[in-house]
Amino acid sequence: QTNITHLKELEQTRTGETYATAFNSFMRFTNGEDVSLSEMDSDMMVAYETYLKVNGVSMNTISFYMRILRAVYNRAVEQGITLQRYPFKHVYTGVEKTVKRAISFKVIRQLKEMDLSHSQSMEFARDMFMFSFYTRGMSFVDMAFLKKTDLNNGMLTYRRKKTGQLLSIRWEKCMQDIVDKYPGNYSTYLLPIIIHIRKDERLQYKNSICLVNRRLKEIGKKLGLVHPLTMYVARHSWASVARGKHIPLSVISEGMGHDSEKTTL
């Protein structure tokens, strides 16, 4: 009997982390028990979808998992390993448009002027949010890996981790004020996100983004915001404010490091 483990082996050459994540999620649903392909019917996949929803998984992630499982299942059908039972016909495999939450320029000013001297971590979170906003919505991962050598002759030049795109920003006093507040004398990095150079840098970045977002959510509640305040909000707030000031979409797209204007919309 062909089972889900064999299905995983079929795709081993091209799984990578994405396939492994989908399979591991499905195995958690089955409590680690292997499932034969003949058992994979529409009822089971609907139950799996319900399980994911109950566990707070977004519809886009659900679709992502389902499409991976469906691709591998269909490959097994093509190879004559199982009959086509269309187990994915009643589950979601589309793509929902992500809600991009932005805050107004007025709220950003309130955030900038908040007295957070009672909490070093909250003040740091606010400063990182403002730095992102000042630098045309720079993503936190790009901020973390900015080097002091990226700043030359009044221009900050960096390559986006996500796309590899090279971006340049004119260096302003408001950016320098934040850097001056956190002098990393012994570090090659511009901001104090990655502090220990010889330790796992990616882990330091991940720990920092979690802490910063946690503190930003607390700040957002103090400001009476309906939606959670996160570093992602800084990125889209810059785009929203730029649109409000009638800056061309092409300029906003370039500033955010998007490959096309459609991504910005």
Side-chain angles (χ1 to χ4, degrees):
Q1 238 186 1
T2 308
N3 53 34
I4 193 75
T5 301
H6 180 64
L7 210 60
K8 190 173 180 179
E9 286 164 3
L10 272 177
E11 288 297 315
Q12 206 61 49
T13 53
R14 60 176 190 171
T15 56
E17 287 184 9
T18 52
Y19 275 70
T21 303
F23 280 116
N24 291 340
S25 167
F26 187 70
M27 292 303 279
R28 280 195 297 275
F29 161 68
T30 65
N31 291 317
E33 292 180 20
D34 231 339
V35 174
S36 67
L37 292 183
S38 58
E39 290 177 87
M40 285 181 72
D41 58 13
S42 180
D43 288 344
M44 175 177 278
M45 300 323 291
V46 167
Y48 174 46
E49 183 182 59
T50 304
Y51 159 83
L52 292 172
K53 285 178 182 174
V54 167
N55 282 281
V57 178
S58 74
M59 290 310 293
N60 278 349
T61 302
I62 289 172
S63 171
F64 177 67
Y65 289 165
M66 293 297 183
R67 281 180 285 132
I68 285 174
L69 292 172
R70 183 179 63 186
V72 181
Y73 179 89
N74 287 345
R75 194 152 172 251
V77 171
E78 283 170 18
Q79 294 185 6
I81 294 168
T82 190
L83 295 172
Q84 179 59 274
R85 297 181 185 82
Y86 302 101
F88 300 91
K89 62 184 174 184
H90 296 307
V91 295
Y92 182 69
T93 55
V95 180
E96 286 193 333
K97 193 168 174 63
T98 308
V99 177
K100 293 178 178 176
R101 294 173 181 143
I103 55 176
S104 68
F105 193 63
K106 180 185 173 186
V107 174
I108 287 168
R109 188 179 283 119
Q110 287 176 331
L111 175 64
K112 179 180 181 288
E113 293 170 356
M114 280 181 87
D115 179 9
L116 297 170
S117 55
H118 64 283
S119 169
Q120 200 174 355
S121 62
M122 286 176 87
E123 191 166 18
F124 177 71
R126 185 267 309 279
D127 291 344
M128 293 305 99
F129 184 99
M130 294 308 302
F131 188 90
S132 172
F133 181 77
Y134 293 147
T135 54
R136 305 188 307 199
M138 188 185 295
S139 67
F140 195 78
V141 67
D142 291 332
M143 285 168 54
F145 289 94
L146 278 180
K147 292 189 173 169
K148 290 174 182 174
T149 51
D150 292 335
L151 183 56
N152 281 300
N153 301 319
M155 293 296 292
L156 181 66
T157 304
Y158 70 100
R159 199 172 287 280
R160 274 208 78 196
K161 288 274 183 190
K162 189 175 179 180
T163 63
Q165 189 178 355
L166 193 67
L167 299 170
S168 291
I169 300 168
R170 193 174 66 190
W171 192 248
E172 304 285 359
K173 184 182 181 296
C174 54
M175 304 168 195
Q176 187 63 49
D177 287 345
I178 291 175
V179 170
D180 289 343
K181 197 170 173 182
Y182 303 97
N185 300 329
Y186 306 107
S187 173
T188 55
Y189 293 116
L190 195 62
L191 295 167
I193 297 168
I194 296 166
I195 299 165
H196 307 289
I197 306 301
R198 289 184 179 82
K199 293 188 179 177
D200 188 332
E201 296 187 347
R202 190 83 190 171
L203 183 62
Q204 288 181 72
Y205 148 71
K206 285 184 175 177
N207 288 341
S208 187
I209 185 73
C210 287
L211 179 61
V212 164
N213 278 335
R214 200 155 59 232
R215 293 294 176 261
L216 284 175
K217 284 170 188 172
E218 291 172 29
I219 293 169
K221 285 177 184 175
K222 287 177 183 287
L223 287 170
L225 301 181
V226 176
H227 298 300
L229 187 67
T230 64
M231 286 300 298
Y232 185 76
V233 175
R235 186 161 172 74
H236 290 284
S237 295
W238 178 80
S240 177
V241 168
R243 273 200 299 270
K245 293 188 181 298
H246 307 294
I247 293 171
L249 188 58
S250 58
V251 176
I252 300 170
S253 294
E254 184 189 352
M256 295 184 79
H258 284 154
D259 294 327
S260 71
E261 293 186 15
K262 284 183 181 177
T263 319
T264 316
L265 291 167

